[in-house]
Amino acid sequence: MSLDDIYDAVLEYDDDGISDLVKQELDAETPPKVILDEALIEALDEVGRCFSDGTIFVPEMLMAAETMKVGLDILRPLFLGDKSTIIGTAVIGSVKGDMHDIGKNLVAMMLEGASFNVIDLGVDVDTDRFLAAAHEHDAEFIMMSALLTTTMKAMETSVRVIKDERPDLKVIVGGAPVNQSFADAIGANGYSDDAPGAISTARTFV
Ligand code: B1M
């Protein structure tokens, strides 16, 4: 039993076996963050490479993502913190046209762990939904994720409209094709290339 078995389980779409493998790894006192970074996320990176090579296609990519999520569900409680002291409210979603949600879910999970109240709008979220949820829940933050070069445009539109209508809201962006210079160019208040960094960035505004 090892991290390699968890990695292999994602690549073999073994959604029945992966829970036990993750539990066994936790029993062996491997830190949850190591299981996440070195087995689950590494495996999805390999899935992405296989997709680029044309050795797997969308259905396989989806099965791998579903398997990864089953493993992540075992880790989730370990990232959740004490909700008695809420330090801020964040609305989070993947931007319009984007169905990828694993990175966004990680950010949401870690925000909760860092004592934020999190309103998760899911995927394919347009500007109006971000704004309406921020208003309804009296949020201070909007956190956006984009995984496709094609949905970066939707991110840009949302950030520009939100900053125009609600300059008081802090907008933090991220996702594989996004970088600091893009975030600066579209007027976002913050950017991070990973989930823990998104939480650190949000905390600088609290
Ligand atoms: Co998609 N997909 N996909 N996909 N997919 C990518 C992104 C791709 C790079 C694969 C590839 O070609 N190698 C490619 C994008 C190419 C591009 O735009 N340049 C791609 C493509 C092309 C597509 C489709 C267009 C395929 C098709 O239909 N022909 C299609 C688009 C659907 C749509 O969104 N409209 C599609 C569909 C899918 C599935 C549905 C099958 C599935 C998603 C399932 C799901 O999310 N529930 C899927 C998957 C699994 C992937 C890969 C393999 C893995 C993505 C992932 O979850 N990674 C991906 C290749 C890859 O990334 N290696 C790929 C793990 C996750 C933890 O990482 O989300 O990057 P990530 O999050 C990171 C950081 O980016 C950051 O933190 C996390 C790490 O801590 N982060 C933030 C993310 N959000 C943040 C927000 C922040 C801060 C940091 O602040 C708010």
Side-chain angles (χ1 to χ4, degrees), residues 41 44-45 47-49 51-52 58 61-62 65-66 68-69 92 97-104 106-107 143-150 172-176 192-196 198:
I41 293 182
L44 273 194
D45 282 345
V47 167
R49 285 189 286 274
F51 180 75
S52 295
V58 172
M61 198 155 65
L62 189 54
E66 292 306 320
M68 193 271 197
K69 283 183 170 185
I92 187 167
D98 210 311
M99 304 301 163
H100 297 85
D101 67 357
I102 296 177
K104 182 268 298 170
L106 276 179
V107 175
M143 317 279 288
M144 287 181 200
S145 181
L147 261 286
L148 299 170
T149 44
T150 48
I172 298 173
V173 297
S192 167
D193 66 352
D194 65 11

mmCIF file of all heavy atoms in Angstrom, residues 41 44-45 47-49 51-52 58 61-62 65-66 68-69 92 97-104 106-107 143-150 172-176 192-196 198, ligand 1:
data_model
loop_
_atom_site.group_PDB
_atom_site.id
_atom_site.type_symbol
_atom_site.label_atom_id
_atom_site.label_comp_id
_atom_site.label_asym_id
_atom_site.label_seq_id
_atom_site.Cartn_x
_atom_site.Cartn_y
_atom_site.Cartn_z
ATOM 1 N N ILE A 41 -3.668 14.752 -7.104
ATOM 2 C CA ILE A 41 -3.480 15.802 -8.119
ATOM 3 C C ILE A 41 -2.463 15.362 -9.173
ATOM 4 O O ILE A 41 -2.649 15.587 -10.369
ATOM 5 C CB ILE A 41 -3.081 17.143 -7.455
ATOM 6 C CG1 ILE A 41 -4.261 17.668 -6.631
ATOM 7 C CG2 ILE A 41 -2.678 18.183 -8.505
ATOM 8 C CD1 ILE A 41 -4.057 19.011 -5.953
ATOM 9 N N LEU A 44 -4.193 13.317 -11.744
ATOM 10 C CA LEU A 44 -4.992 14.073 -12.721
ATOM 11 C C LEU A 44 -4.101 14.821 -13.709
ATOM 12 O O LEU A 44 -4.474 15.001 -14.873
ATOM 13 C CB LEU A 44 -5.925 15.050 -12.007
ATOM 14 C CG LEU A 44 -7.275 14.502 -11.590
ATOM 15 C CD1 LEU A 44 -8.222 15.632 -11.214
ATOM 16 C CD2 LEU A 44 -7.930 13.657 -12.681
ATOM 17 N N ASP A 45 -2.925 15.237 -13.261
ATOM 18 C CA ASP A 45 -1.983 15.871 -14.204
ATOM 19 C C ASP A 45 -1.580 14.867 -15.293
ATOM 20 O O ASP A 45 -1.488 15.206 -16.470
ATOM 21 C CB ASP A 45 -0.729 16.376 -13.469
ATOM 22 C CG ASP A 45 -1.011 17.684 -12.731
ATOM 23 O OD1 ASP A 45 -2.050 18.316 -13.027
ATOM 24 O OD2 ASP A 45 -0.211 18.059 -11.868
ATOM 25 N N VAL A 47 -3.403 12.358 -16.235
ATOM 26 C CA VAL A 47 -4.606 12.199 -17.068
ATOM 27 C C VAL A 47 -4.634 13.309 -18.127
ATOM 28 O O VAL A 47 -4.918 13.062 -19.304
ATOM 29 C CB VAL A 47 -5.876 12.233 -16.183
ATOM 30 C CG1 VAL A 47 -7.134 12.387 -17.015
ATOM 31 C CG2 VAL A 47 -5.955 10.968 -15.335
ATOM 32 N N GLY A 48 -4.317 14.537 -17.706
ATOM 33 C CA GLY A 48 -4.282 15.663 -18.643
ATOM 34 C C GLY A 48 -3.248 15.432 -19.748
ATOM 35 O O GLY A 48 -3.522 15.712 -20.920
ATOM 36 N N ARG A 49 -2.081 14.893 -19.357
ATOM 37 C CA ARG A 49 -1.045 14.616 -20.373
ATOM 38 C C ARG A 49 -1.528 13.546 -21.357
ATOM 39 O O ARG A 49 -1.330 13.663 -22.560
ATOM 40 C CB ARG A 49 0.269 14.177 -19.698
ATOM 41 C CG ARG A 49 1.033 15.334 -19.056
ATOM 42 C CD ARG A 49 2.417 14.916 -18.587
ATOM 43 N NE ARG A 49 2.386 14.093 -17.375
ATOM 44 C CZ ARG A 49 2.353 14.580 -16.138
ATOM 45 N NH1 ARG A 49 2.351 15.878 -15.925
ATOM 46 N NH2 ARG A 49 2.329 13.763 -15.089
ATOM 47 N N PHE A 51 -4.573 12.899 -22.136
ATOM 48 C CA PHE A 51 -5.606 13.506 -22.988
ATOM 49 C C PHE A 51 -4.942 14.317 -24.103
ATOM 50 O O PHE A 51 -5.333 14.218 -25.277
ATOM 51 C CB PHE A 51 -6.524 14.397 -22.136
ATOM 52 C CG PHE A 51 -7.626 15.061 -22.921
ATOM 53 C CD1 PHE A 51 -8.734 14.344 -23.358
ATOM 54 C CD2 PHE A 51 -7.563 16.417 -23.220
ATOM 55 C CE1 PHE A 51 -9.756 14.968 -24.080
ATOM 56 C CE2 PHE A 51 -8.569 17.044 -23.938
ATOM 57 C CZ PHE A 51 -9.668 16.311 -24.370
ATOM 58 N N SER A 52 -3.901 15.076 -23.738
ATOM 59 C CA SER A 52 -3.186 15.865 -24.752
ATOM 60 C C SER A 52 -2.541 14.959 -25.797
ATOM 61 O O SER A 52 -2.514 15.282 -26.984
ATOM 62 C CB SER A 52 -2.086 16.713 -24.107
ATOM 63 O OG SER A 52 -2.643 17.658 -23.259
ATOM 64 N N VAL A 58 -12.452 12.208 -23.523
ATOM 65 C CA VAL A 58 -13.242 12.860 -22.466
ATOM 66 C C VAL A 58 -13.873 11.859 -21.487
ATOM 67 O O VAL A 58 -13.814 12.070 -20.278
ATOM 68 C CB VAL A 58 -14.302 13.807 -23.074
ATOM 69 C CG1 VAL A 58 -15.254 14.325 -22.008
ATOM 70 C CG2 VAL A 58 -13.627 14.980 -23.781
ATOM 71 N N MET A 61 -11.323 10.869 -19.029
ATOM 72 C CA MET A 61 -10.932 12.008 -18.200
ATOM 73 C C MET A 61 -11.979 12.222 -17.110
ATOM 74 O O MET A 61 -11.662 12.500 -15.951
ATOM 75 C CB MET A 61 -10.802 13.244 -19.107
ATOM 76 C CG MET A 61 -10.010 14.355 -18.510
ATOM 77 S SD MET A 61 -9.264 15.456 -19.741
ATOM 78 C CE MET A 61 -10.631 16.216 -20.546
ATOM 79 N N LEU A 62 -13.240 12.045 -17.479
ATOM 80 C CA LEU A 62 -14.339 12.218 -16.524
ATOM 81 C C LEU A 62 -14.299 11.122 -15.455
ATOM 82 O O LEU A 62 -14.452 11.404 -14.260
ATOM 83 C CB LEU A 62 -15.671 12.172 -17.276
ATOM 84 C CG LEU A 62 -16.925 12.538 -16.508
ATOM 85 C CD1 LEU A 62 -16.808 13.904 -15.842
ATOM 86 C CD2 LEU A 62 -18.126 12.533 -17.454
ATOM 87 N N ALA A 65 -11.629 11.876 -13.043
ATOM 88 C CA ALA A 65 -12.015 12.980 -12.153
ATOM 89 C C ALA A 65 -12.979 12.479 -11.075
ATOM 90 O O ALA A 65 -12.859 12.841 -9.903
ATOM 91 C CB ALA A 65 -12.650 14.102 -12.966
ATOM 92 N N GLU A 66 -13.931 11.626 -11.471
ATOM 93 C CA GLU A 66 -14.894 11.101 -10.486
ATOM 94 C C GLU A 66 -14.181 10.252 -9.440
ATOM 95 O O GLU A 66 -14.489 10.294 -8.251
ATOM 96 C CB GLU A 66 -15.989 10.286 -11.182
ATOM 97 C CG GLU A 66 -16.930 11.133 -12.054
ATOM 98 C CD GLU A 66 -17.567 12.297 -11.301
ATOM 99 O OE1 GLU A 66 -17.941 12.116 -10.137
ATOM 100 O OE2 GLU A 66 -17.675 13.393 -11.882
ATOM 101 N N MET A 68 -11.052 10.567 -8.537
ATOM 102 C CA MET A 68 -10.294 11.485 -7.691
ATOM 103 C C MET A 68 -11.205 12.094 -6.630
ATOM 104 O O MET A 68 -10.833 12.216 -5.460
ATOM 105 C CB MET A 68 -9.699 12.575 -8.590
ATOM 106 C CG MET A 68 -8.650 13.428 -7.938
ATOM 107 S SD MET A 68 -9.294 14.863 -7.098
ATOM 108 C CE MET A 68 -7.835 15.869 -6.923
ATOM 109 N N LYS A 69 -12.441 12.445 -7.037
ATOM 110 C CA LYS A 69 -13.370 13.081 -6.094
ATOM 111 C C LYS A 69 -13.749 12.134 -4.950
ATOM 112 O O LYS A 69 -13.947 12.576 -3.822
ATOM 113 C CB LYS A 69 -14.635 13.528 -6.821
ATOM 114 C CG LYS A 69 -14.453 14.795 -7.626
ATOM 115 C CD LYS A 69 -15.799 15.184 -8.245
ATOM 116 C CE LYS A 69 -15.770 16.545 -8.870
ATOM 117 N NZ LYS A 69 -17.089 16.961 -9.346
ATOM 118 N N ILE A 92 -17.971 31.480 -4.301
ATOM 119 C CA ILE A 92 -16.987 30.846 -5.191
ATOM 120 C C ILE A 92 -17.690 30.108 -6.319
ATOM 121 O O ILE A 92 -18.796 29.570 -6.131
ATOM 122 C CB ILE A 92 -16.058 29.901 -4.391
ATOM 123 C CG1 ILE A 92 -14.929 29.364 -5.275
ATOM 124 C CG2 ILE A 92 -16.812 28.764 -3.728
ATOM 125 C CD1 ILE A 92 -13.811 28.689 -4.506
ATOM 126 N N GLY A 97 -19.323 28.846 -18.649
ATOM 127 C CA GLY A 97 -18.807 27.980 -19.708
ATOM 128 C C GLY A 97 -17.811 26.944 -19.225
ATOM 129 O O GLY A 97 -17.406 26.072 -19.994
ATOM 130 N N ASP A 98 -17.429 27.024 -17.953
ATOM 131 C CA ASP A 98 -16.401 26.103 -17.439
ATOM 132 C C ASP A 98 -17.020 25.069 -16.503
ATOM 133 O O ASP A 98 -17.652 25.432 -15.513
ATOM 134 C CB ASP A 98 -15.312 26.893 -16.708
ATOM 135 C CG ASP A 98 -13.966 26.190 -16.799
ATOM 136 O OD1 ASP A 98 -13.930 24.975 -16.513
ATOM 137 O OD2 ASP A 98 -12.983 26.833 -17.178
ATOM 138 N N MET A 99 -16.833 23.777 -16.865
ATOM 139 C CA MET A 99 -17.432 22.691 -16.080
ATOM 140 C C MET A 99 -16.416 22.053 -15.129
ATOM 141 O O MET A 99 -16.764 21.113 -14.416
ATOM 142 C CB MET A 99 -17.975 21.594 -17.010
ATOM 143 C CG MET A 99 -18.969 22.093 -18.028
ATOM 144 S SD MET A 99 -20.377 22.852 -17.206
ATOM 145 C CE MET A 99 -21.089 23.779 -18.546
ATOM 146 N N HIS A 100 -15.186 22.493 -15.140
ATOM 147 C CA HIS A 100 -14.178 21.911 -14.235
ATOM 148 C C HIS A 100 -14.429 22.413 -12.817
ATOM 149 O O HIS A 100 -14.600 23.617 -12.625
ATOM 150 C CB HIS A 100 -12.774 22.325 -14.675
ATOM 151 C CG HIS A 100 -12.400 21.824 -16.029
ATOM 152 N ND1 HIS A 100 -12.732 22.497 -17.176
ATOM 153 C CD2 HIS A 100 -11.726 20.714 -16.416
ATOM 154 C CE1 HIS A 100 -12.274 21.824 -18.217
ATOM 155 N NE2 HIS A 100 -11.663 20.723 -17.792
ATOM 156 N N ASP A 101 -14.438 21.500 -11.844
ATOM 157 C CA ASP A 101 -14.717 21.984 -10.488
ATOM 158 C C ASP A 101 -13.794 21.439 -9.412
ATOM 159 O O ASP A 101 -13.961 21.770 -8.235
ATOM 160 C CB ASP A 101 -16.179 21.708 -10.111
ATOM 161 C CG ASP A 101 -16.503 20.229 -9.969
ATOM 162 O OD1 ASP A 101 -15.625 19.379 -10.216
ATOM 163 O OD2 ASP A 101 -17.659 19.922 -9.599
ATOM 164 N N ILE A 102 -12.815 20.627 -9.774
ATOM 165 C CA ILE A 102 -12.019 20.000 -8.708
ATOM 166 C C ILE A 102 -11.123 21.031 -8.005
ATOM 167 O O ILE A 102 -11.073 21.087 -6.773
ATOM 168 C CB ILE A 102 -11.214 18.812 -9.257
ATOM 169 C CG1 ILE A 102 -12.192 17.732 -9.737
ATOM 170 C CG2 ILE A 102 -10.296 18.242 -8.180
ATOM 171 C CD1 ILE A 102 -11.552 16.526 -10.382
ATOM 172 N N GLY A 103 -10.438 21.869 -8.800
ATOM 173 C CA GLY A 103 -9.598 22.906 -8.201
ATOM 174 C C GLY A 103 -10.439 23.889 -7.401
ATOM 175 O O GLY A 103 -10.093 24.271 -6.278
ATOM 176 N N LYS A 104 -11.596 24.264 -7.972
ATOM 177 C CA LYS A 104 -12.509 25.178 -7.268
ATOM 178 C C LYS A 104 -12.986 24.549 -5.956
ATOM 179 O O LYS A 104 -13.044 25.208 -4.919
ATOM 180 C CB LYS A 104 -13.690 25.491 -8.207
ATOM 181 C CG LYS A 104 -14.716 26.458 -7.684
ATOM 182 C CD LYS A 104 -15.867 25.800 -6.976
ATOM 183 C CE LYS A 104 -16.675 24.873 -7.857
ATOM 184 N NZ LYS A 104 -17.651 24.073 -7.083
ATOM 185 N N LEU A 106 -11.397 22.400 -4.168
ATOM 186 C CA LEU A 106 -10.275 22.421 -3.213
ATOM 187 C C LEU A 106 -10.167 23.783 -2.537
ATOM 188 O O LEU A 106 -9.977 23.864 -1.325
ATOM 189 C CB LEU A 106 -8.957 22.160 -3.946
ATOM 190 C CG LEU A 106 -8.564 20.727 -4.210
ATOM 191 C CD1 LEU A 106 -7.244 20.704 -4.961
ATOM 192 C CD2 LEU A 106 -8.434 19.966 -2.900
ATOM 193 N N VAL A 107 -10.290 24.835 -3.360
ATOM 194 C CA VAL A 107 -10.226 26.182 -2.787
ATOM 195 C C VAL A 107 -11.358 26.348 -1.766
ATOM 196 O O VAL A 107 -11.139 26.823 -0.641
ATOM 197 C CB VAL A 107 -10.311 27.268 -3.888
ATOM 198 C CG1 VAL A 107 -10.358 28.665 -3.278
ATOM 199 C CG2 VAL A 107 -9.128 27.165 -4.857
ATOM 200 N N MET A 143 -14.558 34.461 -5.457
ATOM 201 C CA MET A 143 -13.411 33.644 -5.867
ATOM 202 C C MET A 143 -13.813 32.913 -7.150
ATOM 203 O O MET A 143 -14.818 32.196 -7.177
ATOM 204 C CB MET A 143 -13.091 32.594 -4.795
ATOM 205 C CG MET A 143 -13.148 33.098 -3.366
ATOM 206 S SD MET A 143 -11.693 33.973 -2.799
ATOM 207 C CE MET A 143 -10.512 32.663 -2.639
ATOM 208 N N MET A 144 -13.020 33.082 -8.206
ATOM 209 C CA MET A 144 -13.372 32.502 -9.514
ATOM 210 C C MET A 144 -12.290 31.576 -10.014
ATOM 211 O O MET A 144 -11.104 31.888 -9.923
ATOM 212 C CB MET A 144 -13.478 33.614 -10.558
ATOM 213 C CG MET A 144 -14.661 34.457 -10.421
ATOM 214 S SD MET A 144 -14.570 35.669 -11.763
ATOM 215 C CE MET A 144 -15.665 36.863 -11.076
ATOM 216 N N SER A 145 -12.746 30.482 -10.612
ATOM 217 C CA SER A 145 -11.818 29.511 -11.181
ATOM 218 C C SER A 145 -12.102 29.346 -12.677
ATOM 219 O O SER A 145 -13.265 29.315 -13.087
ATOM 220 C CB SER A 145 -12.020 28.176 -10.440
ATOM 221 O OG SER A 145 -11.157 27.204 -10.916
ATOM 222 N N ALA A 146 -11.027 29.267 -13.478
ATOM 223 C CA ALA A 146 -11.169 28.971 -14.923
ATOM 224 C C ALA A 146 -10.081 27.989 -15.319
ATOM 225 O O ALA A 146 -8.915 28.172 -14.975
ATOM 226 C CB ALA A 146 -11.042 30.247 -15.750
ATOM 227 N N LEU A 147 -10.478 26.937 -16.004
ATOM 228 C CA LEU A 147 -9.513 25.895 -16.397
ATOM 229 C C LEU A 147 -9.232 25.881 -17.890
ATOM 230 O O LEU A 147 -8.374 25.134 -18.357
ATOM 231 C CB LEU A 147 -10.049 24.511 -15.968
ATOM 232 C CG LEU A 147 -9.505 23.910 -14.678
ATOM 233 C CD1 LEU A 147 -8.097 23.394 -14.835
ATOM 234 C CD2 LEU A 147 -9.532 24.916 -13.544
ATOM 235 N N LEU A 148 -9.996 26.653 -18.634
ATOM 236 C CA LEU A 148 -9.861 26.621 -20.090
ATOM 237 C C LEU A 148 -9.396 27.979 -20.593
ATOM 238 O O LEU A 148 -9.857 29.012 -20.080
ATOM 239 C CB LEU A 148 -11.214 26.282 -20.735
ATOM 240 C CG LEU A 148 -11.831 24.935 -20.377
ATOM 241 C CD1 LEU A 148 -13.272 24.867 -20.898
ATOM 242 C CD2 LEU A 148 -11.016 23.790 -20.964
ATOM 243 N N THR A 149 -8.545 27.967 -21.587
ATOM 244 C CA THR A 149 -8.142 29.249 -22.177
ATOM 245 C C THR A 149 -9.396 29.957 -22.728
ATOM 246 O O THR A 149 -9.490 31.170 -22.665
ATOM 247 C CB THR A 149 -7.095 29.033 -23.292
ATOM 248 O OG1 THR A 149 -7.495 27.935 -24.100
ATOM 249 C CG2 THR A 149 -5.740 28.726 -22.711
ATOM 250 N N THR A 150 -10.354 29.158 -23.201
ATOM 251 C CA THR A 150 -11.565 29.773 -23.779
ATOM 252 C C THR A 150 -12.455 30.441 -22.727
ATOM 253 O O THR A 150 -13.238 31.325 -23.053
ATOM 254 C CB THR A 150 -12.408 28.716 -24.526
ATOM 255 O OG1 THR A 150 -12.554 27.591 -23.680
ATOM 256 C CG2 THR A 150 -11.759 28.297 -25.827
ATOM 257 N N ILE A 172 -10.826 37.343 -6.266
ATOM 258 C CA ILE A 172 -9.593 36.547 -6.352
ATOM 259 C C ILE A 172 -9.787 35.483 -7.431
ATOM 260 O O ILE A 172 -10.836 34.829 -7.482
ATOM 261 C CB ILE A 172 -9.264 35.913 -4.987
ATOM 262 C CG1 ILE A 172 -9.035 37.042 -3.969
ATOM 263 C CG2 ILE A 172 -8.032 35.005 -5.080
ATOM 264 C CD1 ILE A 172 -8.864 36.586 -2.548
ATOM 265 N N VAL A 173 -8.802 35.363 -8.320
ATOM 266 C CA VAL A 173 -8.946 34.450 -9.454
ATOM 267 C C VAL A 173 -7.832 33.404 -9.465
ATOM 268 O O VAL A 173 -6.759 33.619 -8.902
ATOM 269 C CB VAL A 173 -8.954 35.219 -10.796
ATOM 270 C CG1 VAL A 173 -10.147 36.164 -10.883
ATOM 271 C CG2 VAL A 173 -7.644 35.985 -11.020
ATOM 272 N N GLY A 174 -8.122 32.293 -10.128
ATOM 273 C CA GLY A 174 -7.119 31.245 -10.276
ATOM 274 C C GLY A 174 -7.581 30.200 -11.261
ATOM 275 O O GLY A 174 -8.655 30.312 -11.853
ATOM 276 N N GLY A 175 -6.740 29.189 -11.440
ATOM 277 C CA GLY A 175 -7.015 28.126 -12.413
ATOM 278 C C GLY A 175 -5.828 27.990 -13.349
ATOM 279 O O GLY A 175 -5.074 28.956 -13.534
ATOM 280 N N ALA A 176 -5.671 26.803 -13.925
ATOM 281 C CA ALA A 176 -4.441 26.469 -14.649
ATOM 282 C C ALA A 176 -3.980 27.507 -15.687
ATOM 283 O O ALA A 176 -2.798 27.835 -15.720
ATOM 284 C CB ALA A 176 -4.588 25.089 -15.268
ATOM 285 N N SER A 192 -3.811 33.393 -7.202
ATOM 286 C CA SER A 192 -2.880 32.377 -6.695
ATOM 287 C C SER A 192 -2.861 31.210 -7.661
ATOM 288 O O SER A 192 -3.858 30.936 -8.332
ATOM 289 C CB SER A 192 -3.321 31.888 -5.317
ATOM 290 O OG SER A 192 -2.593 30.723 -4.979
ATOM 291 N N ASP A 193 -1.736 30.526 -7.716
ATOM 292 C CA ASP A 193 -1.661 29.370 -8.614
ATOM 293 C C ASP A 193 -2.084 28.079 -7.921
ATOM 294 O O ASP A 193 -2.151 27.035 -8.560
ATOM 295 C CB ASP A 193 -0.264 29.233 -9.239
ATOM 296 C CG ASP A 193 0.803 28.918 -8.216
ATOM 297 O OD1 ASP A 193 0.495 28.956 -7.003
ATOM 298 O OD2 ASP A 193 1.944 28.629 -8.620
ATOM 299 N N ASP A 194 -2.362 28.149 -6.618
ATOM 300 C CA ASP A 194 -2.879 26.934 -5.974
ATOM 301 C C ASP A 194 -3.880 27.287 -4.871
ATOM 302 O O ASP A 194 -4.055 28.451 -4.515
ATOM 303 C CB ASP A 194 -1.740 26.030 -5.458
ATOM 304 C CG ASP A 194 -0.930 26.686 -4.353
ATOM 305 O OD1 ASP A 194 -1.346 27.734 -3.842
ATOM 306 O OD2 ASP A 194 0.123 26.127 -4.006
ATOM 307 N N ALA A 195 -4.530 26.234 -4.366
ATOM 308 C CA ALA A 195 -5.609 26.460 -3.398
ATOM 309 C C ALA A 195 -5.098 27.073 -2.087
ATOM 310 O O ALA A 195 -5.675 28.071 -1.619
ATOM 311 C CB ALA A 195 -6.369 25.158 -3.155
ATOM 312 N N PRO A 196 -4.030 26.538 -1.501
ATOM 313 C CA PRO A 196 -3.573 27.168 -0.248
ATOM 314 C C PRO A 196 -3.223 28.641 -0.446
ATOM 315 O O PRO A 196 -3.505 29.484 0.411
ATOM 316 C CB PRO A 196 -2.327 26.349 0.132
ATOM 317 C CG PRO A 196 -2.492 25.035 -0.554
ATOM 318 C CD PRO A 196 -3.247 25.329 -1.824
ATOM 319 N N ALA A 198 -4.598 30.680 -2.526
ATOM 320 C CA ALA A 198 -5.835 31.474 -2.633
ATOM 321 C C ALA A 198 -6.329 31.859 -1.242
ATOM 322 O O ALA A 198 -6.823 32.971 -1.029
ATOM 323 C CB ALA A 198 -6.902 30.677 -3.385
HETATM 324 CO CO1 B1M B 1 -10.774 19.171 -19.058
HETATM 325 N N1 B1M B 1 -9.307 20.173 -19.863
HETATM 326 N N2 B1M B 1 -11.902 19.563 -20.599
HETATM 327 N N3 B1M B 1 -12.031 17.991 -18.217
HETATM 328 N N4 B1M B 1 -9.372 18.655 -17.874
HETATM 329 C C1 B1M B 1 -8.088 20.347 -19.062
HETATM 330 C C2 B1M B 1 -8.154 21.634 -18.247
HETATM 331 C C3 B1M B 1 -6.986 20.379 -20.200
HETATM 332 C C4 B1M B 1 -5.711 21.160 -19.799
HETATM 333 C C5 B1M B 1 -6.654 18.932 -20.640
HETATM 334 C C6 B1M B 1 -5.601 18.888 -21.707
HETATM 335 O O1 B1M B 1 -5.857 19.255 -22.836
HETATM 336 N N5 B1M B 1 -4.413 18.458 -21.381
HETATM 337 C C7 B1M B 1 -7.785 21.049 -21.377
HETATM 338 C C8 B1M B 1 -7.752 22.585 -21.419
HETATM 339 C C9 B1M B 1 -6.899 23.117 -22.548
HETATM 340 C C10 B1M B 1 -6.922 24.591 -22.587
HETATM 341 O O2 B1M B 1 -7.913 25.244 -22.476
HETATM 342 N N6 B1M B 1 -5.749 25.140 -22.762
HETATM 343 C C11 B1M B 1 -9.180 20.517 -21.121
HETATM 344 C C12 B1M B 1 -10.192 20.427 -22.114
HETATM 345 C C13 B1M B 1 -9.760 20.801 -23.527
HETATM 346 C C14 B1M B 1 -11.503 20.033 -21.827
HETATM 347 C C15 B1M B 1 -12.691 19.943 -22.797
HETATM 348 C C16 B1M B 1 -12.810 21.137 -23.770
HETATM 349 C C17 B1M B 1 -12.566 18.601 -23.530
HETATM 350 C C18 B1M B 1 -13.585 18.374 -24.610
HETATM 351 O O3 B1M B 1 -14.752 18.365 -24.367
HETATM 352 N N7 B1M B 1 -13.086 18.225 -25.801
HETATM 353 C C19 B1M B 1 -13.887 19.881 -21.817
HETATM 354 C C20 B1M B 1 -14.422 21.268 -21.462
HETATM 355 C C21 B1M B 1 -15.673 21.208 -20.621
HETATM 356 C C22 B1M B 1 -16.037 22.584 -20.089
HETATM 357 O O4 B1M B 1 -15.551 22.990 -19.045
HETATM 358 N N8 B1M B 1 -16.856 23.321 -20.844
HETATM 359 C C23 B1M B 1 -13.239 19.254 -20.631
HETATM 360 C C24 B1M B 1 -13.914 18.434 -19.747
HETATM 361 C C25 B1M B 1 -13.333 17.816 -18.642
HETATM 362 C C26 B1M B 1 -14.064 16.793 -17.772
HETATM 363 C C27 B1M B 1 -15.532 17.159 -17.508
HETATM 364 C C28 B1M B 1 -13.996 15.455 -18.465
HETATM 365 C C29 B1M B 1 -13.139 16.761 -16.504
HETATM 366 C C30 B1M B 1 -13.567 17.731 -15.391
HETATM 367 C C31 B1M B 1 -14.364 17.052 -14.297
HETATM 368 C C32 B1M B 1 -14.544 17.965 -13.121
HETATM 369 O O5 B1M B 1 -13.835 18.951 -12.871
HETATM 370 N N9 B1M B 1 -15.563 17.620 -12.363
HETATM 371 C C33 B1M B 1 -11.818 17.296 -17.052
HETATM 372 C C34 B1M B 1 -10.562 17.129 -16.397
HETATM 373 C C35 B1M B 1 -10.545 16.199 -15.211
HETATM 374 C C36 B1M B 1 -9.395 17.801 -16.835
HETATM 375 C C37 B1M B 1 -7.960 17.677 -16.284
HETATM 376 C C38 B1M B 1 -7.407 16.320 -16.705
HETATM 377 C C39 B1M B 1 -7.801 17.783 -14.777
HETATM 378 C C40 B1M B 1 -8.369 19.064 -14.179
HETATM 379 C C41 B1M B 1 -8.282 18.990 -12.677
HETATM 380 O O6 B1M B 1 -9.283 18.804 -12.008
HETATM 381 N N10 B1M B 1 -7.043 19.063 -12.112
HETATM 382 C C42 B1M B 1 -7.241 18.897 -17.010
HETATM 383 C C43 B1M B 1 -5.780 18.670 -17.267
HETATM 384 C C44 B1M B 1 -4.918 19.131 -16.121
HETATM 385 O O7 B1M B 1 -5.220 20.048 -15.410
HETATM 386 N N11 B1M B 1 -3.812 18.516 -15.926
HETATM 387 C C45 B1M B 1 -8.184 19.237 -18.090
HETATM 388 C C46 B1M B 1 -6.798 18.934 -10.687
HETATM 389 C C47 B1M B 1 -7.138 20.260 -9.985
HETATM 390 C C48 B1M B 1 -6.781 20.169 -8.515
HETATM 391 O O8 B1M B 1 -6.329 21.248 -10.599
HETATM 392 O O9 B1M B 1 -8.320 22.662 -11.312
HETATM 393 O O10 B1M B 1 -5.955 23.239 -12.056
HETATM 394 P P1 B1M B 1 -6.891 22.672 -11.048
HETATM 395 O O11 B1M B 1 -6.719 23.535 -9.699
HETATM 396 C C49 B1M B 1 -5.444 23.886 -9.219
HETATM 397 C C50 B1M B 1 -4.986 25.272 -9.686
HETATM 398 O O12 B1M B 1 -5.369 25.580 -11.022
HETATM 399 C C51 B1M B 1 -5.535 26.177 -8.635
HETATM 400 O O13 B1M B 1 -5.574 25.387 -7.449
HETATM 401 C C52 B1M B 1 -5.574 24.002 -7.722
HETATM 402 C C53 B1M B 1 -4.378 23.359 -7.046
HETATM 403 O O14 B1M B 1 -4.306 23.620 -5.691
HETATM 404 N N12 B1M B 1 -6.848 26.788 -8.774
HETATM 405 C C54 B1M B 1 -7.109 27.964 -8.144
HETATM 406 C C55 B1M B 1 -7.967 26.394 -9.392
HETATM 407 N N13 B1M B 1 -8.943 27.269 -9.199
HETATM 408 C C56 B1M B 1 -8.445 28.250 -8.437
HETATM 409 C C57 B1M B 1 -9.025 29.416 -7.909
HETATM 410 C C58 B1M B 1 -8.234 30.268 -7.154
HETATM 411 C C59 B1M B 1 -6.904 29.979 -6.900
HETATM 412 C C60 B1M B 1 -6.318 28.817 -7.384
HETATM 413 O O15 B1M B 1 -8.701 31.403 -6.591
HETATM 414 C C61 B1M B 1 -10.074 31.664 -6.610
#
